[in-house]
Amino acid sequence: MQRSDFAARVESLVSSIPHGRVMTYGQLAALCGNPQAARVVGGIAHFGDSNLPWHRVVNKRGGMASGYPGGKSAHAKHLQSEGVSISSDYEIKEMETALWQPKNNL
C-alpha cells in the first residue's frame, strides 16, 4: 500500500517533535494541510511507523491516547520520562509549556 503525501507530512512532523514537547492531532492535521483530519492523524499514528515518537502526540486538551500501546498509563509514563508533568486524569498539566509549534512548516 502506498503512503499518501498527507501521511508522509504527518510522519515528518512527528519525527521532528523535540524531546519533552508535544503536538496535538489537530495541530498536526492543520500543519499538514487538512485541519479537519485529526482522526486521520490518529489512524496514521495507529498504523504508521512505530519507530516514530508517537507518544509526543496528544489530544487537544493534552490528554493521553487510550489506543496507545499499554493504554493511557503507558503513554503518560513515556512522556513523564521526558520531563512532561501529567495529572492523575492523564492530561498534561502545563499544556501551554509542553506544546511545540515548529518555526516553519516542514
Side-chain angles (χ1 to χ4, degrees):
M1 179 189 216
Q2 185 176 357
R3 193 171 67 153
S4 71
D5 287 342
F6 182 78
R9 288 192 303 271
V10 167
E11 289 184 347
S12 176
L13 267 173
V14 169
S15 70
S16 68
I17 302 171
H19 181 91
R21 303 294 296 276
V22 299
M23 293 183 80
T24 68
Y25 295 100
Q27 179 187 17
L28 285 162
L31 288 171
C32 292
N34 191 344
Q36 303 301 315
R39 287 183 182 227
V40 174
V41 172
I44 295 167
H46 187 73
F47 296 106
D49 184 348
S50 62
N51 294 315
L52 295 177
W54 292 109
H55 64 283
R56 297 179 185 150
V57 181
V58 297
N59 71 28
K60 65 184 175 184
R61 293 179 315 280
M64 307 298 101
S66 58
Y68 186 81
K72 290 181 178 185
S73 64
H75 193 175
K77 284 178 185 175
H78 212 150
L79 285 172
Q80 287 170 322
S81 74
E82 294 188 3
V84 178
S85 294
I86 308 294
S87 69
S88 60
D89 59 349
Y90 298 110
E91 290 188 357
I92 294 173
K93 288 183 179 178
E94 296 177 15
M95 185 62 173
E96 302 81 28
T97 303
L99 191 64
W100 182 66
Q101 180 65 44
K103 299 231 184 284
N104 50 11
N105 295 348
L106 302 174

